[in-house]
Amino acid sequence: MFDLAREIGQTLSNNKLRTSLTGLSVAWGIFMLIILLGMSQGVVNSFNEGFMSQGSNYINIWGGRTSNAFKGYKEGRSIDLKESDLNVIDSRNGNIVDNISSSISGSSVVISSPIDYISSGYDGVFPDELDKRGIPLSYGRFINELDLEHRRKVVVLTEQNAAILFKTAENAIGKQVKMKDLSFTVIGVINPRFGQETYIPFTTALALKGGDSVVDGISVELKNVYTMEDGEKAEGDIKKTLAHTHDFDTEDNGAVHIWNRFNQHLTMSSALNVLQLVVWLIGLFTLLSGIIGVSNIMFVSVKERTHEIGIRRAIGAKPMSILIQIITESVAITGIFGYIGVFFGIVIIEFLGKIFEGSEFIGDVTVDISIAIKVTIVLIIAGCLAGLFPALKALKVKPVEALRDE
C-alpha cells in the first residue's frame, strides 16, 4: 500500500505542470457542479418553503360570472358560493373529498385593547387554515371545532398586531380585545410571512354578517388522487356539482374560478426534477473536459513507462496490479483536484447564501450531505473512467516488446 502511494506521488511529481493544468480543469468542473447544484437546491428550498409549506392536495373555488346563457338565464349572471355548497360538494363527492372548508372576509374594523388599537380586516376561517397557508403558530392555539360549533368570540392575531395591542405578543394570550363592539378573547398568535390577517371562527364571522350565507371561497382537500388525470377528474366532478346546484353550464369557464393546487403541485414538482437533471448534465459535461485531460495524462504516462511496465510484467507482476496502479493514479489526480473544486465551491455557496438570504425565489442556498456524497461518487467514477482505457492499453503491452522500447 505504501509502495503504491509512493509510486503515485512520484508519477505526479514528475509531471507537475502537466498534472496541475489538467487538474485545474477537473477542479473547475467540480466547482461549477457544486455552484449549480447549490443554486438549484436554493430554488427547490424556496419552492418547498413557499408552495409546499401550504397544502398541496387542495382545490380552491371562487364565484364568478357566467359567460354563456343557460336554461333561460342570460349570460353575465353572478354566481355566489354559499355555505350550503360545502355540504352539497361533500355529500356528492365523498370519494374524493377528505375535508372541506370556507372563509369569509370582513371589512376593516377597529380592534382595541386597554393599551392601544389597530385597524384590521378579519377572516372567518376553519381550523385547517394554517395548514393550507403554511403559517406557523407562535403562541397559544388556533381555532378548533368547538369554536365553530359554539360560535365562540375568539380571535387569533399576528405577532405584530399582538405586540401593538399588548406590548409583547406572548402577553396577548388570554386577554380581551374589542371588535365590532363585542369582546373577543385572544387564543393564539401567528407569524405569517405576508400580510397581517386577523382570524376568527367561520361561524362567528357568518353570524356577524347577519344571515347572509355568501362565502368568499371554498377549499376542498382531496383524497384518493395520485395523478394529473385524477386531479382533473376531481376538478370536473366538483364543477359539475356546483353547476347542477347553481344552474350554469359545466363548460362555462367564467361561472366559477377554480385553482387546482394538486395538479399545479405535480407540474411544478416535475419542472423542478427536470431542472435538477439539467443542472447535473451541465455540471457533468463541464467536468467531462477535465476527465478527458486526466485520461490523456494517463495515456502519456503509460507511454513513458512502457519499459518499466515490461520489466514488471517480465518479473511476474500480475496484470491486475498494473491495472490497479494506473486507475489509482487517475483517481488520485481526480480526487485531489476535485476536492479543491469542492472546497472553493462550498466557500462560494456560503457567500451566495448570505447574498440571497431572505429572497423569495432562491432560499437557503446550501450543499447538503447528500450532494457531497453524490459528488464523491462522481469523482470516484470519473477517476476510474479516466484511468480505465490507459490501463487497458498498458495490459496489451507484451513484455518482450516493452523491454525493446526505448
Side-chain angles (χ1 to χ4, degrees):
M1 188 67 181
F2 290 107
D3 290 339
L4 179 60
R6 181 170 50 78
E7 289 178 6
I8 292 172
Q10 184 176 357
T11 302
L12 298 182
S13 62
N14 288 340
N15 302 283
K16 293 179 182 177
L17 180 60
R18 187 172 60 198
T19 302
S20 299
L21 292 176
T22 304
L24 285 176
S25 64
V26 174
W28 176 255
I30 289 293
F31 173 80
M32 290 304 300
L33 180 59
I34 290 292
I35 296 297
L36 290 170
L37 289 174
M39 294 298 290
S40 68
Q41 188 62 45
V43 173
V44 173
N45 290 340
S46 178
F47 172 71
N48 289 336
E49 290 173 8
F51 188 82
M52 288 292 289
S53 63
Q54 306 176 22
S56 58
N57 58 332
Y58 282 85
I59 288 180
N60 291 347
I61 313 149
W62 298 272
R65 286 186 177 276
T66 59
S67 55
N68 301 330
F70 187 72
K71 288 186 177 180
Y73 292 104
K74 294 182 179 180
E75 64 181 58
R77 179 168 53 98
S78 177
I79 302 296
D80 295 322
L81 301 179
K82 299 183 178 181
E83 180 194 12
S84 58
D85 290 330
L86 277 70
N87 291 329
V88 174
I89 293 173
D90 191 16
S91 62
R92 296 184 183 178
N93 302 275
N95 59 318
I96 58 171
V97 176
D98 190 33
N99 186 39
I100 187 166
S101 59
S102 183
S103 64
I104 296 174
S105 296
S107 58
S108 182
V109 295
V110 173
I111 303 175
S112 62
S113 72
I115 298 174
D116 210 336
Y117 71 92
I118 59 171
S119 180
S120 171
Y122 66 87
D123 290 340
V125 297
F126 280 72
D128 65 344
E129 190 69 16
L130 289 191
D131 291 334
K132 286 192 298 183
R133 299 200 181 192
I135 300 175
L137 182 68
S138 301
Y139 305 104
R141 67 173 179 84
F142 196 64
I143 293 159
N144 60 29
E145 294 294 340
L146 288 177
D147 296 330
L148 294 178
E149 182 181 346
H150 298 290
R151 299 187 178 184
R152 290 173 177 169
K153 293 187 285 294
V154 292
V155 63
V156 176
L157 302 171
T158 65
E159 284 190 9
Q160 181 178 321
N161 288 340
I164 293 172
L165 294 173
F166 298 100
K167 298 298 183 184
T168 65
E170 190 174 5
N171 288 338
I173 303 301
K175 302 292 178 58
Q176 301 291 311
V177 295
K178 283 280 188 180
M179 186 171 72
K180 282 201 165 188
D181 295 324
L182 297 172
S183 181
F184 283 75
T185 302
V186 179
I187 59 170
V189 175
I190 57 176
N191 184 26
R193 295 179 65 187
F194 309 104
Q196 294 297 319
E197 295 89 347
T198 297
Y199 293 120
I200 65 175
F202 174 82
T203 51
T204 305
L206 199 62
L208 292 177
K209 291 187 69 175
D212 183 359
S213 63
V214 174
V215 298
D216 293 341
I218 295 174
S219 180
V220 180
E221 184 178 7
L222 302 175
K223 65 179 180 180
N224 301 325
V225 289
Y226 309 100
T227 64
M228 294 281 285
E229 291 74 17
D230 293 340
E232 289 171 2
K233 184 178 184 305
E235 178 182 334
D237 289 347
I238 292 170
K239 186 175 182 179
K240 286 178 183 176
T241 299
L242 290 173
H244 181 268
T245 304
H246 292 272
D247 289 323
F248 64 82
D249 187 358
T250 56
E251 301 299 321
D252 190 337
N253 294 324
V256 291
H257 304 293
I258 299 178
W259 176 22
N260 193 327
R261 289 164 62 178
F262 174 76
N263 277 13
Q264 185 181 26
H265 162 70
L266 293 182
T267 301
M268 294 184 71
S269 295
S270 298
L272 289 175
N273 289 335
V274 171
L275 171 65
Q276 290 186 308
L277 176 61
V278 170
V279 165
W280 269 102
L281 289 175
I282 293 173
L284 290 176
F285 276 114
T286 305
L287 180 61
L288 184 61
S289 61
I291 296 172
I292 293 173
V294 173
S295 185
N296 288 335
I297 279 184
M298 298 314 299
F299 271 119
V300 173
S301 177
V302 168
K303 180 64 177 176
E304 292 175 346
R305 295 158 61 190
T306 302
H307 196 71
E308 174 195 333
I309 292 172
I311 293 174
R312 293 182 62 182
R313 292 287 303 277
I315 62 176
K318 294 181 179 180
M320 184 58 67
S321 66
I322 296 173
L323 182 71
I324 291 174
Q325 179 183 352
I326 295 173
I327 290 179
T328 305
E329 289 177 10
S330 177
V331 171
I333 295 173
T334 309
I336 291 170
F337 287 96
Y339 277 107
I340 291 174
V342 170
F343 172 77
F344 285 105
I346 291 175
V347 170
I348 297 300
I349 283 294
E350 291 294 324
F351 177 70
L352 292 174
K354 299 293 183 182
I355 293 177
F356 290 105
E357 189 173 1
S359 171
E360 294 181 23
F361 304 103
I362 301 178
D364 193 19
V365 180
T366 57
V367 178
D368 59 28
I369 187 64
S370 64
I371 292 179
I373 292 172
K374 291 174 184 176
V375 170
T376 301
I377 294 171
V378 168
L379 283 174
I380 294 172
I381 294 174
C384 290
L385 290 176
L388 179 61
F389 296 106
L392 292 175
K393 181 180 179 181
L395 293 183
K396 292 179 181 179
V397 177
K398 296 180 180 181
V400 175
E401 295 177 359
L403 289 172
R404 292 175 182 170
D405 187 75
E406 293 295 337

